[in-house]
Amino acid sequence: MTSERIYVGSYTSQPGGGEGIGFGPLEGIGVVATTVDPSFLVRSADGRFLYVTNETEDGKVSAFAIQPDGGLELLNEQPTGGDHPCHLDIDPSGRFLLSANYSSGSVAVHPIAADGSLGEATQVLQREGTGPNKERQEGPHAHQIAFDPTGTYTFDVDLGSDSVYVSRLTEDGQLEEVDRLHIHPGAGPRHLVFHPSAGAAYVINELDSTLTVCSYTDGKLQIVQTASTRPADSPGENFPAELLISADGRHLYGSNRGDNTVAVFAVAADGLSVELVQSVGSGGDWPRHLAFSNDGTRLYAANERSDTIATFVIDTTDGTLIPAGEPITWPKPVCILPV
């Protein structure tokens, strides 16, 4: 076991769910904050504050002050103006927290005060649109908010309309759209990551188990490849979730819920093509979230339905994953944040 400490976000309202946010080394995680459905966590750049989505019908985001021992002190909560917020990020200036409301398909912007608390939303931006999947794409479903490596542009990924919106965040906390990428119909884009040095970005698609490879320049995404997240002729339903890229940009890691695997892709030197090189069991059922250890030598997989967190060692030569010990038990883990 590693001595690295992690925060764990869990679903609390599901049968068998936890109490809130866990913290500690893998072999000794305990509850440090009781809060409803903390499904995604981010930490401020200076390490002083933790921000959390409360994925409820009347969505909220919560701000916590991180104590020296890793404990959490609630600062305040703010409504997101939408339903079931499932992702959030801090803008590079540290002035705003942005969150994605999944069920209502909107994006919220909250100012961050000097003491780490959150102000009232400066904007709740409602997206529109549908897709061909009548059950899952009857309307917009915002699933992620992210920034490009320069921090110049903001990206919100909409599963419901097969779209990635590109915006600028103004000084007064308003998103102004500058472009939009249309993923192929029925893809259900969920999460996006950028190559750390090449002009490329990657979108994992939940509804058809694909990975979209894009060239990227100054706010413009252009599709150059579509690859499967699973081996050919894989049986049964599958719904990809998280996507990570290694610090050197040589490998991508995507979680497959249904197959219950982690897909490992080798990335070309120019970033513009990928090859599936491994599908390894996730160490449980329904891997919703993946995270790297802080030193980049290990990968954690949060398996929501089996109540397990698995650890893998990353092979330094080819990027493949090697299971490291038995998974640990934690109720409904859906987000892992190493500290």
Side-chain angles (χ1 to χ4, degrees):
M1 287 284 187
T2 173
S3 60
E4 181 173 61
R5 299 182 300 173
I6 63 173
Y7 286 104
V8 183
S10 305
Y11 281 132
T12 64
S13 60
Q14 291 185 3
E19 298 177 55
I21 302 169
F23 177 73
L26 280 176
E27 64 271 19
I29 300 174
V31 176
V32 290
T34 300
T35 188
V36 178
D37 288 342
S39 65
F40 204 84
L41 321 174
V42 296
R43 190 167 59 144
S44 61
D46 60 12
R48 297 172 57 204
F49 307 108
L50 186 76
Y51 298 96
V52 176
T53 54
N54 295 109
E55 194 174 333
T56 58
E57 187 171 355
D58 296 316
K60 296 184 300 182
V61 282
S62 298
F64 295 88
I66 299 175
Q67 306 304 299
D69 63 355
L72 299 175
E73 177 188 349
L74 179 65
L75 296 175
N76 74 329
E77 303 171 338
Q78 287 286 352
T80 60
D83 301 338
H84 302 109
C86 61
H87 194 272
L88 75 175
D89 203 0
I90 302 167
D91 93 277
S93 75
R95 298 176 56 233
F96 295 99
L97 181 77
L98 287 75
S99 55
N101 292 307
Y102 175 78
S103 293
S104 53
S106 57
V107 176
V109 183
H110 288 85
I112 300 174
D115 66 357
S117 63
L118 297 170
E120 293 183 3
T122 55
Q123 184 184 33
V124 178
L125 177 59
Q126 181 63 55
R127 296 303 189 189
E128 305 293 340
T130 60
N133 186 319
K134 290 181 170 53
E135 290 184 359
R136 297 292 308 279
Q137 296 184 307
E138 79 296 340
H141 292 303
H143 222 309
Q144 186 198 26
I145 189 82
F147 293 84
D148 73 353
T150 69
T152 305
Y153 296 97
T154 307
F155 298 77
D156 58 286
V157 181
D158 194 291
L159 180 148
S161 63
D162 295 314
S163 301
V164 179
Y165 294 92
V166 187
S167 306
R168 285 185 181 273
L169 180 64
T170 66
E171 286 293 316
D172 59 351
Q174 302 288 313
L175 288 173
E176 295 181 347
E177 186 174 334
V178 297
D179 201 13
R180 179 180 176 185
L181 174 70
H182 296 274
I183 308 290
H184 58 273
R190 181 182 172 102
H191 279 189
L192 166 148
V193 296
F194 288 90
H195 194 284
S197 55
Y202 314 88
V203 182
I204 198 164
N205 300 309
E206 179 174 337
L207 299 184
D208 71 352
S209 298
T210 58
L211 180 75
T212 300
V213 180
C214 301
S215 62
Y216 178 67
T217 306
D218 193 28
K220 298 286 186 181
L221 291 164
Q222 185 171 349
I223 295 172
V224 296
Q225 183 192 7
T226 301
S228 177
T229 66
R230 24 181 0 203
D233 301 321
S234 296
E237 290 189 316
N238 183 64
F239 304 95
E242 187 56 279
L243 184 65
L244 302 178
I245 190 165
S246 58
D248 60 10
R250 293 175 56 208
H251 296 96
L252 286 161
Y253 301 86
S255 64
N256 282 311
R257 298 174 300 174
D259 290 353
N260 294 333
T261 61
V262 180
V264 183
F265 294 88
V267 180
D270 64 1
L272 297 180
S273 64
V274 302
E275 179 185 0
L276 181 65
V277 295
Q278 185 190 29
S279 292
V280 60
S282 67
D285 185 8
W286 216 248
R288 181 180 172 95
H289 192 246
L290 306 174
F292 290 128
S293 62
N294 280 318
D295 63 7
T297 63
R298 297 177 306 281
L299 180 143
Y300 304 109
N303 293 287
E304 176 187 347
R305 292 183 179 176
S306 57
D307 303 328
T308 53
I309 299 171
T311 304
F312 299 85
V313 173
I314 301 173
D315 189 299
T316 56
T317 59
D318 62 9
T320 56
L321 300 177
I322 305 163
E326 291 297 316
I328 65 103
T329 299
W330 189 258
K332 301 294 176 287
V334 291
C335 185
I336 297 171
L337 180 64
V339 296

